[in-house]
Amino acid sequence: MNIYISADLEGVLGVTSPHQCFPTSDPAGYHQAVNQLVLELNTLIAAFQRHGSHTFTVNDAHGYI
């Protein structure tokens, strides 16, 4: 099965401020959010792999306004 994942920083656990979504607004908060996003994506992918999925496309849906 092919899996498509669209991810965005605003949906990450622990992101409580829009400033955390931009490296120039809150560098430490941004890097924390990115690290959490990677952790969540890796956890999700591992779960799908346990059920036989081997092909993944991950879209970073975050963008600047």
Side-chain angles (χ1 to χ4, degrees):
M1 178 186 318
N2 297 325
I3 303 294
Y4 178 84
I5 302 168
S6 183
D8 197 326
L9 287 175
E10 283 86 346
V12 171
L13 179 68
V15 174
T16 59
S17 167
H19 298 288
Q20 290 173 275
C21 298
F22 300 97
T24 56
S25 296
D26 179 1
Y30 174 78
H31 291 293
Q32 180 181 3
V34 169
N35 289 336
Q36 182 64 29
L37 175 62
V38 170
L39 178 68
E40 292 179 17
L41 287 170
N42 285 338
T43 300
L44 180 63
I45 289 169
F48 276 116
Q49 286 175 326
R50 285 192 298 273
H51 293 281
S53 297
H54 299 289
T55 303
F56 299 89
T57 301
V58 179
N59 175 51
D60 180 354
H62 185 70
Y64 289 96
I65 296 175

